């Protein structure tokens, strides 16, 4: 069964304190791995898609990486406005649906 | 439209009533997805369409739930004989095609009393 596990469940960082969020997955043939950001009361907002092991993508203070078993979302020198829940999802080759993890709730304090 | 639009934003209904939730995807988007999200959890897949064809409805909890997208654009998720356990945030997403990222709407918060 396709499955996504995210860790930690919650993370508190001081502004400027870099860290990483983990997304471990099992899927019957990976088509794509997606990262989303979700602010309270809002729908998930797309960040990145990764397709193959070794691929990396960056956007401002965020960098996503992918291996055959997991993905990391690295946050460099975070700011309070980076506070949100970060969701990881996988799409298998034999389906179009996304399977989501439960998310990591990030809080960045000034 | 500029984004995925869902209506109503909030719906309170009495147990046993039927409800219809509407999703208006981004114009030109082929794929449309329905998810349900509990507080503190990730979205849980319900069903999806490519054009007007329902490709997968394996996530629908039971036969009280149904969805349609008759003209390949607007979609309706219908819940018959609502129960308290149906209370949740229902989210719709659309993508240009099945291989590209999905964009989510603001959701419909359903409360069954």
């Amino acid at each position: 069964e396709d499955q996504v596990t995210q860790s930690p469940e919650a993370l508190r960082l001081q502004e400027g304190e870099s860290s990483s969020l983990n997304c471990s997955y099992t899927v019957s043939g990976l088509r794509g791995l997606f990262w989303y950001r979700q602010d309270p009361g809002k729908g998930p907002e797309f960040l990145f898609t990764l397709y193959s092991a070794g691929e990396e993508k960056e956007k401002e203070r965020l960098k996503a990486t992918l291996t055959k078993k997991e993905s990391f979302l690295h946050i460099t020198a975070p700011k309070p406005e980076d506070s949100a829940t970060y969701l990881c999802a996988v799409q298998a080759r034999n389906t179009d649906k996304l399977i989501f993890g439960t998310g990591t709730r990030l809080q960045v304090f000034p | 439209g500029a984004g995925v639009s869902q209506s109503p934003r909030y719906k309170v209904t009495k147990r046993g009533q039927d409800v219809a939730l509407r999703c208006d995807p981004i114009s030109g988007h082929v794929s449309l997805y329905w998810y349900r999200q509990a507080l503190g959890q990730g979205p849980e897949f319900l069903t999806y369409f490519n054009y007007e064809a329902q490709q997968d409805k394996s996530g629908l909890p039971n036969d009280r739930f149904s969805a349609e997208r008759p003209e390949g654009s607007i979609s309706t998720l219908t819940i018959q004989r609502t129960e308290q356990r149906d209370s949740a945030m229902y989210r719709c997403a659309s993508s240009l095609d099945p291989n590209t990222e999905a964009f989510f709407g603001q959701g419909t918060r359903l409360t069954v009393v």
Side-chain angles (χ1 to χ4, degrees):
Chain A
E1 183 182 342
D2 301 335
Q3 196 169 352
V4 176
T5 303
Q6 291 189 246
S7 62
E9 288 186 8
L11 183 62
R12 293 163 57 99
L13 298 175
Q14 199 75 32
E15 184 173 3
E17 179 187 2
S18 301
S19 188
S20 296
L21 282 53
N22 177 263
C23 170
S24 297
Y25 64 91
T26 54
V27 64
S28 51
L30 180 71
R31 191 204 295 190
L33 183 141
F34 300 78
W35 281 99
Y36 284 83
R37 169 192 171 127
Q38 186 170 26
D39 293 296
K42 301 276 184 73
E45 176 188 343
F46 171 74
L47 292 173
F48 303 108
T49 310
L50 301 167
Y51 295 103
S52 56
E55 189 175 1
E56 298 184 353
K57 288 199 176 166
E58 285 188 69
K59 180 180 179 181
E60 296 181 352
R61 295 175 293 282
L62 300 177
K63 182 167 83 170
T65 61
L66 181 65
T67 73
K68 288 186 177 179
K69 294 184 178 180
E70 57 191 350
S71 176
F72 291 94
L73 185 65
H74 307 277
I75 303 177
T76 302
K79 298 183 177 182
E81 53 262 42
D82 295 323
S83 297
T85 294
Y86 290 85
L87 295 165
C88 171
V90 297
Q91 187 179 46
R93 284 207 192 98
N94 60 351
T95 179
D96 298 332
K97 68 184 180 187
L98 297 180
I99 305 297
F100 281 85
T102 53
T104 293
R105 189 174 68 256
L106 174 66
Q107 292 179 293
V108 182
F109 294 90
Chain B
V4 178
S5 178
Q6 291 186 247
S7 61
R9 289 290 308 279
Y10 303 92
K11 177 70 177 178
V12 180
T13 190
K14 290 186 178 179
R15 187 162 47 96
Q17 297 292 307
D18 297 351
V19 294
L21 311 182
R22 174 185 164 124
C23 173
D24 196 345
I26 294 171
S27 178
H29 277 200
V30 166
S31 302
L32 185 148
Y33 306 83
W34 283 99
Y35 287 85
R36 182 167 67 175
Q37 188 172 21
L39 201 61
Q41 299 295 310
E44 174 194 8
F45 171 78
L46 295 176
T47 186
Y48 82 94
F49 297 82
N50 286 333
Y51 298 103
E52 72 283 355
Q54 190 170 21
Q55 300 291 329
D56 184 343
K57 56 181 181 179
S58 63
L60 296 177
N62 51 60
D63 59 10
R64 295 186 296 105
F65 287 72
S66 63
E68 63 174 9
R69 192 186 185 198
E71 297 179 0
S73 179
I74 294 169
S75 176
T76 302
L77 177 70
T78 301
I79 308 172
Q80 296 180 312
R81 305 181 302 281
T82 53
E83 301 177 5
Q84 284 190 325
R85 58 177 172 158
D86 300 333
S87 297
M89 176 69 80
Y90 289 84
R91 297 200 183 276
C92 175
S94 70
S95 62
L96 188 61
D97 61 58
N99 297 309
T100 56
E101 65 274 14
F103 295 89
F104 281 80
Q106 293 276 55
T108 294
R109 167 73 66 188
L110 175 66
T111 303
V112 182
V113 297

